Amino acid sequence: MSRLFSTSSVLGAGGSKMAGNFRKVTHCIFDMDGLLLDTEKIYENILRDLIKSYNSTYPWATRMKVMGTTEQRTVSIIVNDLKLSCTVDEFLKKFREKQLVDLAGAPLMRGAERLIKHLKQNNIPIAVATSSGADSVEVKTEKHQEVFDLFHHKVMGSSDAEVKEGKPAPDIFLVAASRFPDNPKPEQCLVFEDAPNGVTAGVSAGMQVVMVPDPHIEEEQRKHATVVLNSLEEFKPELFGLPAFE
């Protein structure tokens, strides 16, 4: 049975939510874009430029729908929602080509390297579960190999045959958990996410979720997360039974 950690209301800097009951975990699964790597603005610019080439705009409501989804799902939503004069496959081809150029050298998010190295040094199994495809991940992580080599494995939703449905479905997190050698139960895993779709996926998988959202994401879309932080620098591992920072 999972152990519960009861806390009083604890707020991080800027009013981040750290209140409630936390279960002890043994494994951690990280999203990548917007959580470990500062890529969301790059993606937004790529999509906005492509959409503009079809004489359309990229509204916030559509952006929220696609955040955290697979490449295929992102493009399908955009083409259909905005009624673009192209097929999904045509847009997807251009999207992937542009990614491989613009995403090279994306910087790490604040607190990411410190947390990953801390967990690794304390023998906590860690994995990546990203909606991106393998080619995109290779480009984005090229300059941060020292950090990303610390993960036991990476699940790439847009190119992994075992991930049948993308976020907000739970598939990617369940697949990620199953690939740890000791095959932990969902309740033993802690998910780190930035997108509402990813939070939904983690919760649906039966996992607790640490959310580090874009500041513009509304309160309603944050409420299902176990913890909401302003950055990974605020994360307190000991709340989930993990070794505390020294």
Side-chain angles (χ1 to χ4, degrees):
M1 182 179 293
S2 299
R3 181 179 164 196
L4 285 175
F5 288 80
S6 180
T7 69
S8 57
S9 180
V10 181
L11 292 180
S16 53
K17 185 182 78 176
M18 295 183 64
N21 292 318
F22 305 111
R23 293 194 308 266
K24 176 179 171 59
V25 298
T26 54
H27 299 64
C28 295
I29 304 174
F30 291 81
D31 175 48
M32 180 179 287
D33 293 295
L35 188 280
L36 296 178
L37 288 172
D38 192 3
T39 55
E40 288 302 325
K41 287 276 195 300
I42 301 172
Y43 272 116
E44 185 180 351
N45 289 335
I46 291 172
L47 290 168
R48 182 175 284 112
D49 288 347
L50 286 175
I51 291 165
K52 186 177 180 180
S53 72
Y54 292 99
N55 299 311
S56 188
T57 58
Y58 190 22
W60 177 256
T62 303
R63 184 187 164 198
M64 290 307 303
K65 280 187 186 180
V66 306
M67 188 178 285
T69 61
T70 62
E71 293 169 359
Q72 297 93 329
R73 182 66 182 144
T74 289
V75 170
S76 178
I77 291 170
I78 287 173
V79 170
N80 291 303
D81 270 24
L82 305 181
K83 297 179 172 53
L84 301 184
S85 57
C86 63
T87 66
V88 170
D89 287 343
E90 287 169 347
F91 194 99
L92 182 59
K93 183 174 183 291
K94 292 181 179 181
F95 181 41
R96 284 177 169 164
E97 289 172 351
K98 199 86 168 71
Q99 283 184 57
L100 298 181
V101 175
D102 293 5
L103 289 169
L108 289 165
M109 297 290 282
R110 285 190 300 125
E113 183 172 0
R114 171 177 175 253
L115 176 56
I116 293 164
K117 287 183 174 180
H118 171 75
L119 294 172
K120 183 67 175 180
Q121 287 165 0
N122 285 279
N123 299 312
I124 304 301
I126 53 177
V128 168
T130 173
S131 294
S132 297
D135 289 348
S136 172
V137 169
E138 184 177 352
V139 169
K140 286 181 284 193
T141 62
E142 185 177 1
K143 294 186 178 180
H144 307 292
Q145 279 302 314
E146 179 189 353
V147 173
F148 283 94
D149 283 348
L150 299 177
F151 289 96
H152 180 267
H153 59 276
K154 303 178 188 69
V155 180
M156 292 158 280
S158 290
S159 55
D160 193 308
E162 282 192 54
V163 181
K164 303 301 182 185
E165 296 289 337
K167 302 171 188 177
D171 301 33
I172 193 166
F173 292 121
L174 295 173
V175 170
S178 73
R179 291 182 185 172
F180 286 115
D182 53 347
N183 194 20
K185 296 177 181 178
E187 58 265 28
Q188 293 176 279
C189 299
L190 181 63
V191 167
F192 291 80
E193 263 286 354
D194 69 303
N197 282 325
V199 173
T200 300
V203 171
S204 297
M207 302 174 184
Q208 296 176 99
V209 183
V210 175
M211 186 184 196
V212 187
D214 180 295
H216 297 99
I217 291 177
E218 297 176 2
E219 186 64 31
E220 179 68 20
Q221 294 176 300
R222 305 172 181 224
K223 67 181 185 181
H224 299 300
T226 311
V227 172
V228 180
L229 307 176
N230 295 304
S231 81
L232 289 173
E233 290 178 320
E234 295 181 353
F235 179 62
K236 298 182 184 301
E238 62 272 22
L239 292 179
F240 295 91
L242 298 169
F245 289 112
E246 294 181 359

